[in-house]
Amino acid sequence: MIKIKAKDVDVFYGKKQALFNISLDIEENQVTALIGPSGCGKSTFLRCLNRMNDVIDICSVKGEILINDFNINDKSCDVVRLREKIGMVFQKPNPFPKTLYENVSYGPTIHGMAQSKQEMDEIVETSLKKAALWEEVKDRLHEPGTGLSGGQQQRLCIARAISVRPEVILMDEPCSALDPIATAQIEELIDELKKEHTIIIVTHSMAQAARVSQNTGFFHLGQLIEHGSTDKIFKNPDNKKTQDYITGRFG
Amino acid sequence: MSEAPHTVKSYEEELKNLNANIIKMGSACEDSLSKAIQAITSRDNNIAEAVIQEDEKIDKYETLIEQQVVNLIALRQPMAIDLRETVTALKMSSDLERIGDLAKNISKRTLLLNENLPKNLVDSLNRVSTNVQKQLKSTLDAYLERSAPMAVNVWEGDEQIDDLTNLCMQEVIKYLKENEKNLEDGTHLLFVTKNIERIGDHTTNVAEQVYYLVKGEYLEGDRPKGTEPIVTGEK
Ligand SMILES: Nc1ncnc2c1ncn2[C@@H]1O[C@H](COP(=O)(O)OP(=O)(O)OP(=O)(O)O)[C@@H](O)[C@H]1O
Ligand SMILES: [Mg+2]
């Protein structure tokens, strides 16, 4: 099943074009990895998927992005609802300067997802459990989120992202600040999360892309050079540029 | 290698080195095989002894290549063409090692044979082995040139080796039946013939690896087969 369909997407920052004619299908309940050299447009593409580029004044997006067959670039799109459905986790863990509990309950509160304190407690607990953080923090829910280790903070941000039950989770280099153990925990989590969510992850680690994803897209200079099963991309890519990049022969 | 060089030069060096060792190991096998055949057909025990000695060198290449492969996987995490280079090197080295062993076994038997073998048997052995030697050479050339069509040629040629082996076997069996005194020599010659055929099989395995290395996919279909092998002397 195709969850997201990008069709001929162009992105400009002012006059400078950052993405050229990107067409890409993202499969539901799978992990898609986006790889490519720095500045090739991975984050820009990711931001297209929940209209985060809207907040950048000089940025303009052309083309269609269909999520569940609905074009999110359409005027009728409710961007707040969209961002509820399409969650995002960033490179640097960025918990709010609030308690753990408030970090997770923030989204459900603004989206009015809980009718009572008890319901909210449940949302917080299940989100933290799904993010594999519950056991470590259940006794300190009312301490500040910023007091956690980097890996824990990142899992807190994932808990925050999944608390509003998004259909899609976008992750932009979520493990770049983490040690191998914390990275493995996040990767295990991603594997778990894909049962209920569609995941798109940007990573600079070829090994990580190979480990966590089922599909991989390779971007270069604003173009999608190759997209296919991760297995194929890492064993026998069709495109020479892809091969040069993943084997470390670039430039 | 036709690929652009790696950004990390030491990685590039390691892959080149692995490549060079496969070539060296392959040449050592070619050399052993041709000497083993020369020793048996010209009844030269000195050459046979040399083949037995040189097998050690081939074994050492296998160990070396295995270590290099393990290091590459552990420390470089090769991908795509590099991954295929690494993995096929491991498999090729184990087939080449078997080729070395089989050549050695031929030479050990050579030392036990009588001085005078019938000319027709010598000719027949020569025919199979010339073919196998050609195959081995073409396989190594295919590897060197990263040529899938050359690998396919070898693969298809295995059939002819099977046929020549069977002809040779028939002649040895005839020789065995002629006289009870031929029993010992005849038995050794049966094994020698079989060994040559198996060298051909290992060569074909290497050719399959070359194909996979170049194309990233496996050679499809069953390996071409010649006439059914002879199991007993009845017929
Ligand atoms: N806010 C912005 N204003 C102007 N140009 C931008 C902006 N954000 C990105 N760009 C430009 O768009 C291009 C793509 O950038 P983007 O951040 O999408 O790359 P990336 O693939 O995510 O790189 P990295 O791997 O370094 O994160 C770059 O040339 C970048 O300079
Ligand atoms: Mg980025």
Side-chain angles (χ1 to χ4, degrees):
Chain A
M1 269 277 285
I2 303 302
K3 180 76 182 172
I4 304 177
K5 203 173 182 63
K7 274 197 210 162
D8 306 326
V9 174
D10 291 322
V11 178
F12 298 82
Y13 292 104
K15 282 198 180 118
K16 189 174 165 284
Q17 189 162 359
L19 287 180
F20 297 82
N21 214 21
I22 306 294
S23 293
L24 174 61
D25 288 350
I26 306 279
E27 287 185 60
E28 184 160 35
N29 295 114
Q30 300 234 309
V31 180
T32 298
L34 305 181
I35 59 171
S38 192
C40 68
K42 305 177 296 292
S43 299
T44 300
F45 181 73
L46 212 59
R47 284 196 301 266
C48 290
L49 304 179
N50 64 351
R51 300 253 316 247
M52 286 282 277
N53 287 321
D54 289 12
V55 301
I56 303 170
D57 278 344
I58 57 167
C59 187
S60 63
V61 178
K62 291 197 184 113
E64 277 186 4
I65 290 166
L66 305 171
I67 298 186
N68 303 332
D69 291 327
F70 173 77
N71 182 10
I72 64 163
N73 289 339
D74 199 87
K75 279 191 207 77
S76 66
C77 177
D78 174 349
V79 177
V80 176
R81 281 289 318 280
L82 175 71
R83 295 200 187 130
E84 180 189 339
K85 276 201 285 190
I86 319 286
M88 192 153 184
V89 176
F90 298 87
Q91 174 172 10
K92 264 175 62 186
N94 56 348
F96 306 135
K98 295 187 172 184
T99 68
L100 293 172
Y101 188 98
E102 287 166 326
N103 263 281
V104 183
S105 63
Y106 178 80
T109 306
I110 49 173
H111 294 298
M113 290 172 60
Q115 308 305 319
S116 63
K117 165 89 171 68
Q118 196 198 341
E119 266 185 47
M120 187 58 84
D121 287 352
E122 271 167 30
I123 292 176
V124 170
E125 182 172 338
T126 44
S127 302
L128 285 168
K129 276 185 176 156
K130 278 191 193 158
L133 188 59
W134 175 251
E135 288 304 320
E136 289 161 63
V137 302
K138 62 182 176 201
D139 300 323
R140 48 200 277 211
L141 291 177
H142 299 285
E143 290 172 22
T146 46
L148 299 176
S149 77
Q152 289 171 329
Q153 286 188 20
Q154 196 60 303
R155 277 178 285 150
L156 177 64
C157 293
I158 292 174
R160 188 177 66 193
I162 59 185
S163 65
V164 293
R165 289 198 220 98
E167 293 169 24
V168 179
I169 303 174
L170 310 175
M171 298 183 164
D172 199 345
E173 300 179 49
C175 299
S176 61
L178 305 184
D179 75 15
I181 309 278
T183 299
Q185 285 167 336
I186 304 280
E187 288 178 4
E188 164 61 16
L189 186 55
I190 290 173
D191 228 25
E192 232 5 80
L193 290 174
K194 79 165 195 286
K195 291 176 190 156
E196 290 178 37
H197 311 267
T198 298
I199 295 172
I200 305 169
I201 178 171
V202 168
T203 175
H204 279 292
S205 158
M206 296 304 102
Q208 178 168 64
R211 286 193 300 260
V212 300
S213 71
Q214 289 73 52
N215 293 299
T216 298
F218 168 60
F219 284 77
H220 179 49
L221 298 175
Q223 286 177 323
L224 178 65
I225 303 294
E226 185 168 355
H227 173 237
S229 82
T230 298
D231 181 66
K232 167 112 173 81
I233 299 272
F234 287 101
K235 285 193 325 212
N236 189 22
D238 286 331
N239 192 288
K240 180 97 172 54
K241 275 189 196 146
T242 314
Q243 171 147 300
D244 284 350
Y245 180 70
I246 62 174
T247 59
R249 288 184 165 87
F250 234 60
Chain B
M1 270 180 273
S2 62
E3 300 299 323
H6 278 271
T7 309
V8 178
K9 289 198 190 76
S10 53
Y11 183 16
E12 182 73 20
E13 285 307 309
E14 284 168 30
L15 281 169
K16 273 195 182 144
N17 206 271
L18 179 66
N19 201 51
N21 282 330
I22 289 283
I23 300 286
K24 286 187 208 156
M25 185 177 184
S27 312
C29 288
E30 268 189 297
D31 196 47
S32 270
L33 175 59
S34 86
K35 279 187 186 147
I37 300 305
Q38 199 191 339
I40 196 168
T41 52
S42 64
R43 308 294 309 106
D44 186 328
N45 284 351
N46 287 334
I47 299 180
E49 298 277 9
V51 172
I52 294 168
Q53 296 239 314
E54 274 165 29
D55 185 51
E56 214 175 296
K57 192 171 95 187
I58 296 177
D59 287 351
K60 280 195 179 134
Y61 271 121
E62 191 197 20
T63 315
L64 176 66
I65 288 167
E66 191 174 318
Q67 286 166 348
Q68 289 184 317
V69 166
V70 170
N71 280 342
L72 276 164
I73 291 174
L75 306 177
R76 303 291 190 187
Q77 290 102 38
M79 297 279 193
I81 182 68
D82 302 335
L83 178 65
R84 304 205 302 272
E85 287 278 357
T86 309
V87 171
T88 54
L90 185 65
K91 292 198 79 173
M92 287 191 281
S93 70
S94 92
D95 277 305
L96 292 173
E97 190 271 338
R98 295 296 303 140
I99 290 176
D101 274 355
L102 290 164
K104 173 166 130 183
N105 186 274
I106 292 172
S107 290
K108 278 185 173 171
R109 293 180 188 279
T110 300
L111 297 177
L112 302 173
L113 284 175
N114 268 320
E115 290 294 317
N116 299 311
L117 292 175
K119 175 150 187 331
N120 70 312
L121 289 185
V122 172
D123 288 347
S124 201
L125 270 182
N126 254 328
R127 258 196 304 278
V128 196
S129 62
T130 307
N131 220 296
V132 172
Q133 281 170 273
K134 249 192 236 152
Q135 291 276 86
L136 182 57
K137 181 175 186 316
S138 307
T139 302
L140 296 172
D141 287 345
Y143 177 69
L144 208 62
E145 297 189 18
R146 298 292 185 270
S147 163
M150 284 167 78
V152 173
N153 263 339
V154 172
W155 194 71
E156 285 170 344
D158 195 46
E159 188 176 359
Q160 205 185 351
I161 291 178
D162 290 350
D163 291 345
L164 288 173
T165 306
N166 284 341
L167 284 177
C168 192
M169 288 278 202
Q170 275 163 1
E171 286 185 56
V172 178
I173 287 165
K174 215 167 105 207
Y175 170 71
L176 271 167
K177 282 179 173 170
E178 273 164 16
N179 193 330
E180 223 174 279
K181 283 185 191 146
N182 295 344
L183 192 60
E184 204 173 310
D185 278 358
T187 309
H188 283 308
L189 287 173
L190 277 180
F191 276 104
V192 167
T193 313
K194 194 68 198 161
N195 283 350
I196 296 175
E197 188 208 8
R198 283 167 64 200
I199 290 177
D201 287 340
H202 287 292
T203 303
T204 309
N205 287 349
V206 176
E208 286 176 352
Q209 290 303 310
V210 172
Y211 185 91
Y212 175 71
L213 166 64
V214 179
K215 303 282 267 190
E217 28 190 81
Y218 298 100
L219 251 171
E220 294 280 340
D222 290 334
R223 193 179 282 193
K225 274 207 183 81
T227 48
E228 281 301 306
I230 294 164
V231 189
T232 68
E234 297 301 316
K235 227 195 243 176

